[in-house]
Amino acid sequence: LSVLKIDTRGEPLPAVAMRDSDDLDVGDIVLAIGNPFGVGQTVTMGIVSALARTNVGISDYSFFIQTDASINPGNSGGALIGMDGRLVGINTAIFSNQRGGTGGSVGIGFAIPSNMVATVLHAAKGGKIVRPWLGARTQSVTMDLAQGLGLDRPVGALIGDVYPGGPAARAGLRTGDVVLEVDEREVSDAGALRYRIGTREPGETITLQVMRNGHTFTAQMPMEAPAAMPAPNVSDLQGRNPMAGARVANLSPAFALDEGFDELARGVIVLGAARGSPAEQLGLRRGDLIVSVNDKPIDRVETLGRALTGTPGTWILSIRRDDQVLTTRVRG
């Protein structure tokens, strides 16, 4: 989504009112407005084919309205209008069976719900979109998991790792809990939970329905921006050591999300290595998490700097790459 600011010089412009996209039902008639293939403004009619599509793979906050109203190249950014004349979504993508996505409409189009649009518009007034975060790793409940958890169907988001002191932790959520509803709206899978949280604003509080060991309860969770502490302290390592030439930083949830790292990871992350440097020769890559130096645990850039001071006979370095911890010995 892009938000444009227009100086009308006092002239009033017509505007379309927004509707709560959660009020839509499958089968509702909708109109798709756009400029398909550059032929000029066009209106097509169809129905809402499905709601809460979370497996489209278009964005991190996948939660789309599916419609069979003809949407073709050129319709993206156009309005999806309900029969009451209010905006219910923004046309954004189509399913195409042609390589490269160059085909036309086959009756499967997707629109961003108006509730997400409203969130972005409101955030744009502050100059930056800051979405709340859960502070926990989640996964969708599959049929096999549902049977093991005592659910009659695969629904909900299963809580995995919980970030200490984060919103989920303060709400009392634990590993193994299943979030079934947010403010009385069903959570069909992990993507739906992410969307429900992403359309709220920091400072609000949401009510979760949670299942734990076969019993359900409600929990209040604060909506907060990702924690920005510790400060990144981006540094280029220097000196006579195997990591010289590496650029490193402290991880916080906010920094991790901005840089595309795991938001629950903690410690010191490698951002890159200068060409020809000892760090590059060591094989350090962007995304490596420095675990220890000479058996000293590394939790901050300052700790790493102290650990790299001196010239021991042998350096013992441990890094975490993906799900593996790699340890190597380098002569001093």
Side-chain angles (χ1 to χ4, degrees):
L1 288 171
S2 294
V3 180
L4 303 180
K5 183 177 181 179
I6 302 174
D7 182 2
T8 66
R9 298 181 180 178
E11 179 182 350
L13 297 179
V16 62
M18 286 194 185
R19 173 179 166 184
D20 184 350
S21 53
D22 283 335
D23 289 341
L24 278 178
D25 291 314
V26 173
D28 284 352
I29 297 174
V30 288
L31 304 175
I33 300 174
N35 181 16
F37 299 107
V39 299
Q41 183 169 302
T42 301
V43 178
T44 55
M45 184 177 73
I47 64 169
V48 174
S49 305
L51 297 167
R53 287 296 195 209
T54 58
N55 58 351
V56 180
I58 297 173
S59 71
D60 291 340
Y61 291 85
S62 295
F63 196 88
F64 293 94
I65 300 165
Q66 182 182 328
T67 178
D68 68 351
S70 294
I71 296 176
N72 288 289
N75 278 99
S76 295
L80 188 70
I81 302 292
M83 291 309 292
D84 60 357
R86 292 186 292 171
L87 182 81
V88 296
I90 298 291
N91 306 323
T92 189
I94 62 171
F95 174 82
S96 175
N97 56 6
Q98 302 232 351
R99 183 172 296 178
T102 57
S105 172
V106 293
I108 304 177
F110 302 100
I112 300 170
S114 58
N115 287 358
M116 177 61 83
V117 177
T119 300
V120 174
L121 284 173
H122 186 270
K125 295 179 181 179
K128 183 181 180 181
I129 297 175
V130 179
R131 290 193 173 101
W133 72 304
L134 176 63
R137 204 182 313 281
T138 62
Q139 69 179 93
S140 300
V141 175
T142 62
M143 182 62 76
D144 290 341
L145 285 174
Q147 293 175 353
L149 293 167
L151 293 167
D152 57 2
R153 60 193 177 94
V155 65
L158 179 64
I159 300 294
D161 297 336
V162 177
Y163 192 88
R170 295 213 311 282
L173 297 185
R174 303 176 188 169
T175 299
D177 288 348
V178 180
V179 179
L180 300 174
E181 293 182 1
V182 173
D183 289 336
E184 300 183 350
R185 299 282 186 183
E186 182 181 84
V187 172
S188 56
D189 54 24
L193 176 60
R194 186 174 176 85
Y195 169 81
R196 291 296 173 196
I197 293 173
T199 52
R200 305 305 290 266
E201 297 181 13
E204 297 182 12
T205 299
I206 61 174
T207 300
L208 306 176
Q209 184 186 69
V210 184
M211 188 185 77
R212 177 183 296 164
N213 298 327
H215 302 282
T216 59
F217 63 94
T218 59
Q220 303 295 312
M221 190 172 77
M223 293 288 91
E224 300 175 353
M229 295 300 291
N233 190 18
V234 178
S235 303
D236 293 318
L237 299 179
Q238 300 176 352
R240 296 176 59 85
N241 64 77
M243 291 188 176
R247 175 165 291 184
V248 297
N250 294 323
L251 272 180
S252 68
F255 185 78
L257 286 168
D258 286 343
E259 295 291 327
F261 301 128
D262 179 4
E263 63 191 86
L264 300 188
R266 289 172 289 167
V268 177
I269 196 84
V270 175
L271 302 179
R275 182 169 296 181
S277 66
E280 185 187 49
Q281 295 172 16
L282 183 64
L284 290 182
R285 305 177 188 171
R286 176 179 172 85
D288 286 346
L289 196 66
I290 301 174
V291 176
S292 65
V293 174
N294 293 335
D295 297 325
K296 296 178 181 177
I298 303 300
D299 60 348
R300 295 287 189 274
V301 170
E302 296 84 350
T303 307
L304 176 61
R306 289 194 295 269
L308 292 174
T309 301
T311 55
T314 301
W315 296 94
I316 304 174
L317 311 172
S318 293
I319 64 168
R320 182 180 298 278
R321 179 175 296 164
D322 298 326
D323 294 327
Q324 291 184 316
V325 175
L326 308 176
T327 300
T328 185
R329 294 173 179 266
V330 182
R331 288 186 178 182

